[in-house]
Amino acid sequence: MKTRDRIKFILSVFLIFFVSYVLLFGIVVGDYQVKPLSKVVKLGLDLKGGVYVEEEIVDKNVSKDTVERTRDLIELRVNSLGVSEPVVAITGSNRIRVEIPGIYDPKAALEQIGRTGKLRFVGPNNDEILTGKDVKDAVVSVDQRTNAPVVQLKLNQEGAKKFAEATKKYLGKQIAIYMDDELISAPTVRDVIPNGEAIITGSRNVEEAKRLAGIIKSGALPVKLYPATIRAIGPSLGAEAIPTSLKAATIGIILVMLFMLVYYKIPGFIADLALIVYMIITALIFTVVLKTTLTLPGIAGLLLSIGMAVDANVLIFERIKEELRLGKSLRTAIDAGFKRAFSSILDSNITTLIAGFVLYFVGTGAVKGFALTLIIGVLSSMFTAITVTRFLLKSFVNSGWITNSKFYGA
Amino acid sequence: MERVFKIVERKKIWFSISLIIIMIGMITWMFKGLNLGIDFKGGTVITIKIGKPFDVVELRKYLEKYDPQIDVREIEGHEVTIRSNKITTNEVNQIFNDAKRKYGLKDDALRSVDTIGPTIGKELRRSALISNLLATLGILIYVSLRFELWSGVAAIIALIHDLLITLSVYAVLQIPVNSSFIAAMLTILGYSINDTIVVFDRIRENSKLGKYDDFETLINASITQTLSRSINTVLTTLFTITAIYILGVPSIKEFALPLIIGIISGAYSSIFIASPLWSIFEKRYKRV
């Protein structure tokens, strides 16, 4: 009996530390590689910097299809920026949320996302020659003569026909090219162009030409957009927030663990082990299962939940102390402690969960994320504080290493 | 002999302490108003790290050309926040360029730019109100079912107390009220009810055991028995959240401070407000 419990306890402790090590530093076994969690976790925009825009569709009565098409078009445009992991998602009934990491200039981002993007070729008599619908493809190339970046258009069959006629008609005259009523170029027609290829000059640099090509290629948006929220977060905020938060987390966790150890002795030590299991479970749920992004308020929420996670253990240990004071034996006191603390743990956590779920279903954005932290924190702390602590505490007591009830709070 | 603190008897003292704090908060709210952030009001906030001591008044004068009502404040770490509800995205770039030139900064000095339209604030206020009401209602129903109606009412009054105390802190310290404010309030709500339920659970248990003759002694004894748990849990929670408050960046501090206040207030109210209230209700409405 004793030996079995000793092995059980030692193996569990070994397992806890092994898993923590793997999650912190990663491991390579043969061809398999487990990356450390810090490499897996997705950072929110407030930690890595970028632009966040919420575009609102001005027209209130838009169909779901239109909203979805707008989202797809915006996604095409954002992808043409070539940044990694942008987010384009519908929020609410008429809003589209765009997150672009690595770009810090909100103005450039807004132009890329929010322009309606109506391309028009207009003749000298103000007659419309071509629109964005006649364009099959748009790419950036360099003008051989001037070395300036240009946007090269490939027109579809109908567009090519219209363009050939127009260039014949307006030979030697000016054609104006508009993007959303803004004149971007007004070239003079020098030749008849029958092959359906047109060039837009006037871009100041390659980036601008790329953006223009991206907008033309994705096509005009079916609706007018208005930016309801714009956030731009510089890269320095996260660069400072991450190390300071890590430091605070380390200090806070060490304080919690020391406190538990000093105040509750052996059970406190067991609670510290359970707390490590708690952190492992929540970390895995957030990064691997839910793949949530870590944000600044999220960090605060996680830290708060670590402080609260030992609460169930505090409740149990206080009960064990009381039972020991009544003169019960160590094993009976532990059993009674768990049993009698259960109703208060259950009721208090369910009420907290009620608040959490309301927050999750009513709240939006960062608030929702925070609620999720709270809910998962409460659920996994209930699990670890009850199941893990009981298992470890019982096998430790049964191992017979330390049986003097003084070390258990008597 | 069992030690029992006399808590219920001194309820007038406890209630007065809370009332005074809340009064100060509400009076400040009336005269100074809450520092509503752009999440609620709409507008633009630019945060720039200057990185060395600078003259805020001078900078404000300099930027008044963009908006005569422009709000320029220094925050911790030699950073500046510039707020306005008039400036355009073009002007945001101009303002940052002005600051760059004036203080010899590089591009990475731009901490953040936030622009919120006026419609968001309305929605946020609605969702803040609805979520608080729904959560409170849900808790009231649950506590009334698991305990009894009057304990539920006492718990809810303690919750409102905590929210008012936290709101007072927001008013007095002029902490910007943003969307994180809602999260802070609801966390406090969840945390505080947790504390209250632990005490109530002990009252329920002791009441079943029939150990104490009158309700006041029953409540006093239950509070005393759960006191070390109440203190220890507040301590462990404060360890982590205070660490982030002391070491964190300004935007996380803004969120941590109300949490710290709310956690202390939540522990206080579960002992000194909720439990005495339950005994008052019990006396008045049940055991007459």
Side-chain angles (χ1 to χ4, degrees), chain A residues 243-311:
Chain A
T244 51
S245 306
L246 270 179
K247 203 167 138 197
T250 317
I251 293 175
I253 292 165
I254 288 176
L255 280 176
V256 171
M257 289 188 155
L258 270 180
F259 177 83
M260 293 299 284
L261 189 65
V262 170
Y263 195 93
Y264 293 110
K265 301 180 183 74
I266 298 289
F269 169 64
I270 303 289
D272 288 347
L273 290 173
L275 188 63
I276 297 177
V277 177
Y278 166 80
M279 291 190 273
I280 291 173
I281 290 177
T282 38
L284 283 178
I285 290 179
F286 279 116
T287 51
V288 181
V289 182
L290 298 172
K291 296 193 170 62
T292 43
T293 42
L294 191 64
T295 59
L296 267 181
I299 292 179
L302 278 177
L303 280 177
L304 186 74
S305 84
I306 289 172
M308 285 169 81
V310 291
D311 178 49

Side-chain angles (χ1 to χ4, degrees), chain A residues 60-134:
Chain A
K60 286 250 160 18
N61 305 308
V62 284
S63 68
K64 218 177 139 213
D65 282 351
T66 316
V67 179
E68 274 167 15
R69 208 158 75 80
T70 311
R71 190 229 13 231
D72 294 343
L73 289 174
I74 290 178
E75 196 157 22
L76 278 174
R77 292 178 177 189
V78 172
N79 285 340
S80 72
L81 289 172
V83 296
S84 70
E85 295 182 44
V87 177
V88 181
I90 297 170
T91 47
S93 61
N94 66 337
R95 257 191 231 132
I96 290 154
R97 192 182 88 227
V98 184
E99 292 175 22
I100 313 170
I103 283 181
Y104 311 112
D105 177 7
K107 200 171 153 252
L110 276 180
E111 275 180 9
Q112 182 71 7
I113 305 162
R115 302 193 82 142
T116 311
K118 270 203 186 112
L119 180 73
R120 286 188 312 141
F121 280 55
V122 178
N125 309 326
N126 243 345
D127 51 333
E128 201 172 77
I129 301 168
L130 294 174
T131 68
K133 285 187 183 126
D134 299 311

Side-chain angles (χ1 to χ4, degrees), chain A residues 107 228 230-232 234 311 340, chain B residues 90 111 113-115 117 205 233:
Chain A
K107 200 171 153 252
I230 309 161
R231 288 177 200 274
D311 178 49
R340 300 185 65 184
Chain B
N90 255 331
R111 289 294 202 173
V113 181
D114 295 57
T115 306
E205 185 187 321
T233 298

Side-chain angles (χ1 to χ4, degrees), chain A residues 95 107 228-232 234 236-237 240 264 296 303 307 311 318-319 322 340 343 347 352 359 370, chain B residues 90 108 111-115 117 123 142 146 186-187 190 201-202 204-205 228-229 232-233 236 240 251:
Chain A
R95 257 191 231 132
K107 200 171 153 252
T229 305
I230 309 161
R231 288 177 200 274
S236 61
L237 182 63
E240 238 168 75
Y264 293 110
L296 267 181
L303 280 177
D311 178 49
E318 287 295 330
R319 279 299 180 139
E322 280 178 47
R340 300 185 65 184
S343 75
D347 278 339
T352 308
L359 198 53
F370 189 81
Chain B
N90 255 331
D108 65 356
R111 289 294 202 173
S112 60
V113 181
D114 295 57
T115 306
E123 251 169 61
Y142 184 80
R146 289 284 290 170
L186 274 136
T187 314
D201 175 77
R202 194 43 95 91
R204 176 175 60 185
E205 185 187 321
S228 53
R229 175 268 164 192
N232 288 354
T233 298
T236 55
T240 51
S251 57

Side-chain angles (χ1 to χ4, degrees), chain A residues 205-389:
Chain A
N205 51 43
V206 180
E207 264 64 54
E208 208 180 283
K210 265 191 194 160
R211 281 208 291 270
L212 186 60
I215 291 176
I216 293 172
K217 209 156 77 178
S218 64
L221 299 178
V223 288
K224 225 178 149 207
L225 294 176
Y226 165 79
T229 305
I230 309 161
R231 288 177 200 274
I233 301 107
S236 61
L237 182 63
E240 238 168 75
I242 294 173
T244 51
S245 306
L246 270 179
K247 203 167 138 197
T250 317
I251 293 175
I253 292 165
I254 288 176
L255 280 176
V256 171
M257 289 188 155
L258 270 180
F259 177 83
M260 293 299 284
L261 189 65
V262 170
Y263 195 93
Y264 293 110
K265 301 180 183 74
I266 298 289
F269 169 64
I270 303 289
D272 288 347
L273 290 173
L275 188 63
I276 297 177
V277 177
Y278 166 80
M279 291 190 273
I280 291 173
I281 290 177
T282 38
L284 283 178
I285 290 179
F286 279 116
T287 51
V288 181
V289 182
L290 298 172
K291 296 193 170 62
T292 43
T293 42
L294 191 64
T295 59
L296 267 181
I299 292 179
L302 278 177
L303 280 177
L304 186 74
S305 84
I306 289 172
M308 285 169 81
V310 291
D311 178 49
N313 277 153
V314 169
L315 275 166
I316 295 165
F317 300 160
E318 287 295 330
R319 279 299 180 139
I320 294 179
K321 267 186 174 178
E322 280 178 47
E323 302 293 326
L324 285 171
R325 267 186 228 131
L326 291 174
K328 289 193 183 158
S329 79
L330 187 55
R331 263 168 236 197
T332 358
I334 288 175
D335 279 335
F338 273 94
K339 219 173 112 193
R340 300 185 65 184
F342 186 73
S343 75
S344 60
I345 294 174
L346 189 72
D347 278 339
S348 61
N349 281 319
I350 285 179
T351 42
T352 308
L353 280 178
I354 292 175
F357 277 111
V358 168
L359 198 53
Y360 183 78
F361 287 111
V362 181
T364 49
V367 175
K368 225 185 181 73
F370 189 81
L372 198 64
T373 318
L374 192 69
I375 292 168
I376 291 177
V378 167
L379 288 178
S380 48
S381 83
M382 260 172 92
F383 169 74
T384 50
I386 297 172
T387 321
V388 178
T389 307

Side-chain angles (χ1 to χ4, degrees), chain B residues 35-39 41-46 67 69-73 81-87 174-178:
Chain B
N35 179 8
L36 280 185
I38 54 158
D39 283 3
K41 259 195 333 201
T44 298
V45 178
I46 311 167
D67 169 12
Q69 258 101 48
I70 202 158
D71 177 277
V72 181
R73 293 180 197 207
T81 62
I82 300 160
R83 267 210 261 184
S84 161
N85 46 20
K86 286 207 187 81
I87 49 176
Q174 291 286 300
I175 303 172
V177 177
N178 277 323

